[in-house]
């Protein structure tokens, strides 16, 4: 027994593992497992304040990185903070090697099963799989029968749900072969957990995760044998609950993130719509359910797929990871037949058995399930969720989830082959830090495997799902579950990440393609941010004048109010809600290009949104003006990040064009109003102030503000970044660097149009640039936006 003075003993005092349950931290002898003791010795030395500070550090990283999951309810979906359980799950390297070997065996078995289901069909013909579980299965896609994947394999990336038995052995709760999620979240869990457990926790013996992804990326690139073709990740879009992960992996691996609308099939080849025209794609890492991929041959109600994609696969021009239709392997009833199939196909039993399962379509099994229903979960045979992810009609120990008694015999007689019985699971527990102490909570591991040139590679760690109580049905995040990092701990230092194994001659990478949809979102993000800044400047000027006069009917105050009203801005509140809406529109655009937008830029936008949403300005006038100035510093920070930090890819050009066009057009409209002959006295000063050019005007012009000086400085000065001409010139230079801006020495229609506007402004005289010409310039810039959209964004 440990000494009373042992800090570890004090730490785990009161840690009570439920009877008949295995625990990840405490062994059968009641003592901490050897792999846990070094961690516990360091953890025990931390004060409650230090633990809270460390956990907050990990949470802050996740918030800053924008890690979230989407929670769906009847009233709609919401983004929820990522529910990290900070204490990791620790497993010894020796034990993990056995787990990995068993999972590689299982992955090979699943490959052979799915190859048969879409090939010769021997398993059904020989009675090893019931016909109705295949032919009547919505996850079995008949159009894919007879199609051999161009890569040679149906499965390339799979996941397994693992639980530990009371005797310490492991079992498989379910296979994930459709589009397994969580691998990207596992990476973020690792980073956040390491932030929490930095010094004095040494990390040199913990196996790293990044090498697993690098190896898989090399495999994807190896599929890509077509000239000028690329590999990409296919997502269902921002509405899916795992979209953040899709964007994260795309950014981590340097791959394009595409949606169905980004793709088109031309003569059997899959092409991505880009700003440089349609370009071939030969590999798609599919992160959406197969049935929605092609509305032409699969689910005709799908609005997120690409017509003709199945034909592109059939023609041998496209590989998908995983192959379409592999989700059939997730069918719950298949678990009843895999043990026998393993003995037939592999000549050996499964090294890691799956949860005991009985298909109720056979009389003997149906009778057994009825007799043992008190210790079983009985549910839909074709379901693809786990036993504890219950549906309304699932029967648990003879009752429905709401506690009502279930007539098992009637259910089995009526539905038979549509039901499956599974042994009630007793998951192991793992420590969770709650209310100042470690407490045991049920845990399940999701482990990932990727096919490489050397065979299956198992991620050395994974993604643990933890329930908030002893209720195993609460492991799902939507039911209040949390997640934890999984550390595979060696008894010696592990090798550093391998960045390259081949000494290749340096070659600059080919510029990445920019899908038109991504360019569209970057362009409008730039416009929305600039529009918000322009509105903030106008509202600040309104409140400054109101603070000076104290009279809303003052001609200058009324002029600004009238102008804002015409642009749809209400001044009922000191901080108009329309400003926040513009920023939220920018954030929605940014969210759709998270794989191409920097974390710092994202944080700047979210921080600015939070500042504006949380602004509490009790009254108009001076206080509101100060609040507007604070917000302007936020937009300036975003502008600085865009200008100084973003690589000058094509995406940066579209974002910058959006900002420049918005600023130029807004300035032209504003000058047409505040420099009009009917404008009240003081309007010129308002224009100079909104144009952030007060100091510049004083230095450049030795006379009082008049219309000519205002027009010269804010419309025609090619050195003033607030002027119309400066921004038009910027747009002209940016357009010149876009694909197709000049062909065989001839300018494109877009390039000619913007050049004409720049030329008119370059030779214009301030006195002749009257209100009509300013309005005409603003309308011309609107047509530039339309032309840009037709040329590149649709």
């Amino acid at each position: 027994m440990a000494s009373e003075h042992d800090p570890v003993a004090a730490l785990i005092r009161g840690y009570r593992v439920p009877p008949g349950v295995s625990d990840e931290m405490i062994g059968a002898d009641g003592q901490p497992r050897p792999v846990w003791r070094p961690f516990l010795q360091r953890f025990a030395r931390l004060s409650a304040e230090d633990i809270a500070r460390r956990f907050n550090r990990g949470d802050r990283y996740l918030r800053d990185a924008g890690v979230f999951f989407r929670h769906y309810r009847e009233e709609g979906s919401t983004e929820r903070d990522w529910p990290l359980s900070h204490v990791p799950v620790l497993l010894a390297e020796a034990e993990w090697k056995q787990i990995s070997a068993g999972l590689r065996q299982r992955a090979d078995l699943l490959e052979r099963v799915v190859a048969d289901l879409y090939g010769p069909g021997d398993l059904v013909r020989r009675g090893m799989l019931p016909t109705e579980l295949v032919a009547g299965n919505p996850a079995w896609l008949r159009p894919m029968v007879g199609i051999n994947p161009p890569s040679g394999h149906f499965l390339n990336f799979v996941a397994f749900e693992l639980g530990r038995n009371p005797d310490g052995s492991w079992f498989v709760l379910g296979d994930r072969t459709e589009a397994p999620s969580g691998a990207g979240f596992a990476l973020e869990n690792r980073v956040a957990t390491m932030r929490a457990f930095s010094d004095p926790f040494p990390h040199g013996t913990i196996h790293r995760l990044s090498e697993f992804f690098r190896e898989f990326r090399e495999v994807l690139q190896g599929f890509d044998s077509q000239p000028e073709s690329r590999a990409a990740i296919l997502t269902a879009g921002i509405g899916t609950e795992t979209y953040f992960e899709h964007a994260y992996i795309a950014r981590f691996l340097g791959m394009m993130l595409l949606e169905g609308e980004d793709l088109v099939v031309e003569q059997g080849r899959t092409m991505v719509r880009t700003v440089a025209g349609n370009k071939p794609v030969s590999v798609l890492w599919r992160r959406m359910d197969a049935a929605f991929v092609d509305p032409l041959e699969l689910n005709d109600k799908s609005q997120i797929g690409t017509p003709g994609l199945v034909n592109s696969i059939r023609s041998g021009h496209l590989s998908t990871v995983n192959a379409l239709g592999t989700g059939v392997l997730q069918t719950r009833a298949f678990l009843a037949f895999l043990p026998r199939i393993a003995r037939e196909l592999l000549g050996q039993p499964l090294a890691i058995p799956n949860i005991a399962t009985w298909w109720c379509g056979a009389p003997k099994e149906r009778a057994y399930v009825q007799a043992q229903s008190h210790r079983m979960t009985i549910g839909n045979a074709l379901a693809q969720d786990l036993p504890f992810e219950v549906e309304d009609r699932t029967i648990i120990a003879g009752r429905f989830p709401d506690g009502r008694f279930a007539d098992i015999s009637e259910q089995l007689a009526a539905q038979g082959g549509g039901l499956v019985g599974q042994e009630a699971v007793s998951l192991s527990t793992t420590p969770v830090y709650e209310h100042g102490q470690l407490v045991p909570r049920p845990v399940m591991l999701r482990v990932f495997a990727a096919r490489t040139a050397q065979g299956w590679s198992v991620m050395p760690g994974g993604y643990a799902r933890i329930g908030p109580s002893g209720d195993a049905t609460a492991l799902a995040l939507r039911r209040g579950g949390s997640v934890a990092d999984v550390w595979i701990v060696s008894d010696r230092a592990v090798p550093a990440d391998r960045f390259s194994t081949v000494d290749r001659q340096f070659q600059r990478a080919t510029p990445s393609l920019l899908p038109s949809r991504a360019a569209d979102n970057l362009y409008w993000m730039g416009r929305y941010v600039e529009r918000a800044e322009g509105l903030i400047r106008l509202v600040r000027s309104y409140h400054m004048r109101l603070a000076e006069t104290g009279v809303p009917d003052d001609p200058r105050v009324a002029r600004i109010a009238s102008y804002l009203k015409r642009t749809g801005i209400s001044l009922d509140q000191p901080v108009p809600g329309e400003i926040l809406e513009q920023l939220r529109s920018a954030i929605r655009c940014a969210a759709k290009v998270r794989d191409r937008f920097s974390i710092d830029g994202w944080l700047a936008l979210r921080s600015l949104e939070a500042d504006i949403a949380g602004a509490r300005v009790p009254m108009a006038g001076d206080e509101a003006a100060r609040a507007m100035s604070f917000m302007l510093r936020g937009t300036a920070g975003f502008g600085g990040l865009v200008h100084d930090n973003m690589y000058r890819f094509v995406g940066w050009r579209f974002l910058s064009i959006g900002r420049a066009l918005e600023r130029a057009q807004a300035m032209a409209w504003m000058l047409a109003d505040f420099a009009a002959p009917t404008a009240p006295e003081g309007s010129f000063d308002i224009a100079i102030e909104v144009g952030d050019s007060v100091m510049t005007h004083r230095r450049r012009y030795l006379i009082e503000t008049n219309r000519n000086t205002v027009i010269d400085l804010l419309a025609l000065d090619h050195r003033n970044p607030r002027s119309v001409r400066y921004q038009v010139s910027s747009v002209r230079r940016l357009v010149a660097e876009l694909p197709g801006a000049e062909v065989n020495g001839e300018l494109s229609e877009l390039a000619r149009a913007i050049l004409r506007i720049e030329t008119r402004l370059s030779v214009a005289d301030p006195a002749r640039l009257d209100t009509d010409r300013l309005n005409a310039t603003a309308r011309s810039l609107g047509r530039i936006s339309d032309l840009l959209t037709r040329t590149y964004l649709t």
Side-chain angles (χ1 to χ4, degrees):
M1 294 294 293
S3 167
E4 288 296 323
H5 300 290
D6 183 354
V8 172
L11 177 66
I12 64 176
R13 187 181 297 118
Y15 187 86
R16 298 287 183 264
V17 180
V21 172
S22 178
D23 185 78
E24 299 305 319
M25 181 178 71
I26 303 298
D29 59 358
Q31 298 300 312
R33 300 178 189 271
V35 70
W36 278 86
R37 183 161 283 278
F39 176 87
L40 293 174
Q41 287 172 341
R42 291 174 172 83
F43 191 81
R45 297 192 190 106
L46 302 178
S47 67
E49 293 75 14
D50 193 18
I51 292 173
R53 184 167 55 252
R54 287 170 176 272
F55 287 3
N56 286 336
R57 194 160 60 202
D59 292 339
R60 185 169 58 249
Y61 165 77
L62 292 170
R63 287 194 300 270
D64 290 348
V67 184
F68 67 89
F69 77 97
R70 192 170 294 279
H71 188 208
Y72 289 93
R73 295 179 176 177
E74 290 184 2
E75 59 269 25
S77 66
T78 57
E79 291 181 6
R80 299 280 301 276
D81 289 339
W82 189 242
L84 178 69
S85 181
H86 303 86
V87 178
V89 179
L90 274 60
L91 296 173
E93 181 183 50
E95 182 178 24
W96 190 253
K97 287 182 178 179
Q98 296 177 356
I99 293 173
S100 299
L103 295 182
R104 285 193 290 268
Q105 178 209 47
R106 191 176 185 90
D108 284 333
L109 173 64
L110 294 176
E111 171 70 29
R112 294 185 64 171
V113 170
V114 73
D116 178 79
L117 292 179
Y118 288 100
D122 291 336
L123 293 175
V124 172
R125 187 178 300 108
R126 295 166 56 188
M128 299 178 68
L129 273 175
T131 303
E132 61 192 278
L133 290 184
V134 179
N137 195 325
W140 184 68
L141 304 181
R142 188 176 296 275
M144 304 308 297
V145 174
I147 300 178
N148 292 317
S151 67
H153 298 286
F154 287 82
L155 298 175
N156 297 90
F157 194 90
V158 297
F160 306 95
E161 312 282 13
L162 298 183
R164 192 194 285 270
N165 284 305
D167 64 3
S169 63
W170 292 89
F171 63 97
V172 175
L173 282 154
D175 304 300
R176 291 288 173 258
T177 55
E178 176 69 272
S181 63
F185 288 128
L187 276 172
E188 287 288 39
N189 289 345
R190 172 61 54 89
V191 176
T193 304
M194 290 302 189
R195 294 284 178 93
F197 294 107
S198 54
D199 182 74
F201 295 85
H203 301 151
T205 59
I206 302 170
H207 283 269
R208 299 172 176 86
L209 305 181
S210 54
E211 181 66 17
F212 171 82
F213 288 94
R214 292 194 183 96
E215 289 178 350
F216 188 54
R217 178 177 61 183
E218 291 176 3
V219 171
L220 295 177
Q221 292 172 339
F223 289 172
D224 191 12
S225 58
Q226 299 180 20
E228 297 184 358
S229 187
R230 286 171 170 80
I233 296 174
L234 180 63
T235 177
I238 193 172
T240 184
E241 60 185 9
T242 54
Y243 175 77
F244 168 83
E245 183 197 17
H246 305 166
Y248 178 84
I249 291 180
R251 187 167 58 237
F252 185 82
L253 299 181
M255 298 173 63
M256 284 190 295
L257 183 64
L258 304 177
E259 298 182 21
E261 65 181 276
D262 293 324
L263 299 170
V264 63
V265 177
E266 298 177 347
Q267 298 179 342
R269 294 186 179 275
T270 302
M271 314 290 283
V272 55
R273 295 183 173 100
T274 80
V275 296
N278 292 348
K279 301 294 182 181
V281 172
S282 59
V283 182
L284 288 176
W285 184 0
R286 177 175 58 84
R287 305 305 305 274
M288 59 190 290
D289 290 348
F292 295 95
V293 164
D294 186 349
L296 194 63
E297 296 200 50
L298 301 175
N299 187 339
D300 60 1
K301 294 181 175 60
S302 171
Q303 298 181 13
I304 58 175
T306 305
L309 214 60
V310 168
N311 185 54
S312 183
I313 297 171
R314 187 181 291 119
S315 302
H317 297 307
L318 179 68
S319 294
T320 60
V321 176
N322 291 324
L324 302 185
T326 51
V328 69
L329 297 172
Q330 297 182 178
T331 303
R332 192 184 291 177
F334 273 33
L335 296 174
F337 303 94
L338 286 179
R340 179 191 171 193
I341 294 174
R343 291 190 294 270
E344 289 286 334
L345 298 186
L346 304 180
Q348 54 186 271
L350 290 169
I352 302 180
N354 50 244
I355 181 174
T357 304
W358 295 266
W359 177 57
C360 299
K364 180 179 177 182
E365 285 76 8
R366 184 164 57 248
Y368 180 82
V369 169
Q370 181 170 337
Q372 301 295 323
S373 61
H374 61 283
R375 62 181 187 88
M376 286 196 181
T377 297
I378 304 172
N380 185 352
L382 298 181
Q384 297 195 359
D385 51 7
L386 299 179
F388 49 77
E389 295 176 338
V390 296
E391 304 166 339
D392 291 341
R393 301 302 299 172
T394 299
I395 300 170
I396 305 174
R399 294 182 180 274
F400 291 114
D402 60 7
R404 291 181 296 113
F405 179 77
D407 188 339
I408 305 299
S409 59
E410 183 178 326
Q411 290 278 103
L412 291 174
Q415 300 179 34
L419 296 174
V420 66
Q422 294 185 291
E423 185 178 30
V425 296
S426 180
L427 296 174
S428 63
T429 54
T430 194
V432 172
Y433 191 77
E434 292 181 359
H435 309 298
Q437 62 181 348
L438 294 177
V439 294
R441 292 290 180 256
V443 63
M444 181 193 72
L445 304 187
R446 175 171 290 186
V447 183
F448 304 91
R451 188 184 296 279
T452 70
Q454 291 73 40
W456 288 102
S457 172
V458 178
M459 180 193 288
Y463 172 85
R465 294 165 61 184
I466 300 174
S469 65
D471 181 7
T473 65
L475 267 72
L477 300 189
R478 62 182 178 273
R479 294 179 180 267
S482 58
V483 297
D485 190 16
V486 180
W487 291 3
I488 308 304
V489 183
S490 175
D491 56 5
R492 58 187 181 278
V494 299
D497 285 346
R498 175 184 63 86
F499 288 95
S500 178
T501 57
V502 180
D503 185 15
R504 298 187 179 96
Q505 183 179 359
F506 170 78
Q507 183 177 2
R508 193 178 296 275
T510 303
S512 62
L513 297 178
L514 180 67
S516 296
R517 178 186 53 82
D520 186 51
N521 281 291
L522 288 166
Y523 170 73
W524 280 103
M525 178 173 60
R527 293 207 68 155
Y528 286 133
V529 172
E530 185 63 33
R531 191 172 297 172
E533 179 179 335
L535 292 176
I536 292 171
R537 291 184 180 279
L538 280 163
V539 173
R540 182 179 67 167
S541 185
Y542 169 83
H543 286 296
M544 290 174 67
R545 297 303 178 282
L546 191 60
E548 290 174 6
T549 65
V551 181
D553 294 334
D554 178 87
R556 294 173 301 166
V557 176
R559 187 77 175 195
I560 301 174
S562 174
Y563 183 81
L564 286 169
K565 184 177 181 180
R566 290 200 303 274
T567 59
I569 306 302
S570 170
L571 291 169
D572 294 339
Q573 299 293 327
V575 181
E578 290 81 1
I579 295 175
L580 185 59
E581 285 306 308
Q582 294 298 327
L583 276 176
R584 285 177 173 164
S585 294
I587 289 170
R588 283 192 290 270
C589 291
K592 295 176 182 178
V593 288
R594 285 294 301 274
D595 58 312
R596 296 177 177 271
F597 197 57
S598 74
I599 291 178
D600 287 337
W602 173 260
L603 287 176
L605 281 179
R606 294 307 297 258
S607 177
L608 185 57
E609 177 201 26
D611 290 340
I612 296 177
R616 297 292 181 264
V617 182
M619 58 186 297
D622 185 62
E623 290 186 27
R626 284 203 302 269
M628 296 296 113
S629 295
F630 177 78
M631 295 172 193
L632 282 177
R633 289 194 288 273
T635 60
F638 174 80
L641 284 170
V642 169
H643 185 270
D644 294 337
N645 291 7
M646 281 190 71
Y647 190 87
R648 270 41 176 175
F649 280 126
V650 179
W652 173 84
R653 294 177 194 136
F654 277 95
L655 190 153
S656 299
I657 289 172
R659 295 196 72 197
L661 267 181
E662 183 66 35
R663 181 176 292 187
Q665 190 175 34
M667 181 59 71
W669 288 127
M670 194 269 291
L671 289 174
D673 192 283
F674 288 90
T678 58
E681 184 178 352
S683 294
F684 297 153
D685 292 324
I686 293 173
I688 293 294
E689 179 185 295
V690 173
D692 197 22
S693 300
V694 174
M695 293 299 297
T696 305
H697 186 276
R698 290 174 183 170
R699 291 178 177 177
R700 286 209 59 191
Y701 306 99
L702 301 180
I703 58 176
E704 291 185 355
T705 308
N706 60 49
R707 188 182 188 281
N708 284 344
T709 63
V710 171
I711 297 298
D712 185 57
L713 183 59
L714 295 180
L716 304 178
D717 195 322
H718 69 287
R719 293 187 180 90
N720 182 9
R722 290 284 165 183
S723 78
V724 179
R725 180 183 168 190
Y726 182 97
Q727 296 302 328
V728 168
S729 296
S730 296
V731 173
R732 192 260 306 160
R733 289 191 297 270
L734 291 164
V735 166
E737 295 186 53
L738 296 181
E742 182 178 327
V743 179
N744 297 327
E746 183 178 354
L747 294 180
S748 68
E749 182 183 0
L750 174 63
R752 291 198 304 271
I754 193 66
L755 180 60
R756 281 193 289 267
I757 298 175
E758 183 187 31
T759 302
R760 287 197 296 269
L761 291 171
S762 299
V763 299
D765 179 80
R768 297 178 62 82
L769 195 59
D770 57 17
T771 298
D772 290 341
R773 286 187 171 88
L774 285 167
N775 283 326
T777 299
R779 289 192 295 269
S780 297
L781 292 171
R783 288 192 288 272
I784 292 295
S785 181
D786 295 339
L787 187 53
L788 178 83
T789 299
R790 290 198 304 272
T791 305
Y792 294 106
L793 307 183
T794 60

